Amino acid sequence: MNKKNLFTAGVLAGALLSGPSAYADEPRQDYLSRFSSKVSQGFFNTTTGFIEVPKNIINISHDQNIFVGFTWGLLRGAVHAVSRSLVGVGELITSPIPTDDYITPPYVWDRFSEDTRYFGAHYPGFWTTYGPLDDGDD
């Protein structure tokens, strides 16, 4: 090997060996577990998005009253049902790309009394509510 190829191989080997130490503090998940998690979240969010309707009716009825639950909860649940289904399709399409969760809680049945958030943002009208059995941890 000439000196240029040897130097290039040494630089590439050094870059590969020094990479993992930058993420030493973060819990590591391998690619396959993140991929399978994202595929399952995408599949179940696409197929069970309609559960957002009764979820929002129950949660808003619990926080306000039954009339507000059946009006605002129905409307808000329908919007969240469509949104969760679309996010599920997006998760299925982008499953080979490792990214953070698009939706919290990741499944509709997780932390049922918690309001749904998208991309970690708290928008007006989509504030997070924690129920008596939820501790609020992601």
Side-chain angles (χ1 to χ4, degrees):
M1 276 175 97
N2 64 16
K3 290 181 182 182
K4 184 178 180 183
N5 288 343
L6 187 61
F7 177 75
T8 304
V11 169
L12 289 176
L16 289 173
L17 292 174
S18 66
S21 64
Y23 298 103
D25 294 338
E26 297 178 11
R28 293 198 47 144
Q29 289 184 332
D30 60 338
Y31 177 78
L32 187 60
S33 68
R34 291 187 72 178
F35 172 76
S36 62
S37 172
K38 200 166 179 184
V39 167
S40 72
Q41 285 179 15
F43 175 75
F44 285 113
N45 283 332
T46 302
T47 57
T48 63
F50 65 92
I51 299 175
E52 285 282 350
V53 175
K55 172 185 172 179
N56 279 280
I57 291 172
I58 292 167
N59 291 342
I60 292 176
S61 295
H62 183 265
D63 289 343
Q64 302 291 324
N65 60 45
I66 194 79
F67 177 73
V68 176
F70 275 109
T71 55
W72 176 242
L74 180 67
L75 177 66
R76 187 169 158 184
V79 170
H80 278 300
V82 170
S83 299
R84 185 172 284 273
S85 296
L86 290 175
V87 165
V89 170
E91 285 177 330
L92 281 173
I93 291 171
T94 62
S95 60
I97 304 167
T99 60
D100 291 335
D101 289 338
Y102 296 149
I103 194 166
T104 304
Y107 299 101
V108 70
W109 56 82
D110 282 347
R111 300 188 310 258
F112 197 76
S113 58
E114 182 180 326
D115 291 341
T116 304
R117 300 186 309 272
Y118 302 96
F119 305 102
H122 301 277
Y123 298 111
F126 297 96
W127 54 90
T128 303
T129 302
Y130 298 108
L133 299 176
D134 297 327
D135 60 3
D137 294 332
D138 286 335

